[in-house]
Amino acid sequence: MTDTCPKCCRRHVPPRAERRDSAQIRSAYRCPNCGHAWITSRRRSAYGPAA
């Protein structure tokens, strides 16, 4: 799963690290354009069985 940098709006930034459990997907990102780092936490149920 990719994300958009909240600082410079660069799209399709891939996660540097990802952790999955039965309920959530947690991803850590660092933008290659501006260096901004952020973390997301997404509910697996929102992405269907393939997530």
Side-chain angles (χ1 to χ4, degrees), residues 7-28:
K7 186 173 180 183
C8 75
C9 298
R10 180 176 178 142
R11 293 181 177 202
H12 309 295
V13 177
R16 291 178 44 149
E18 196 166 73
R19 186 173 11 157
R20 295 170 181 244
D21 63 28
S22 62
Q24 295 184 346
I25 303 167
R26 294 176 190 91
S27 305

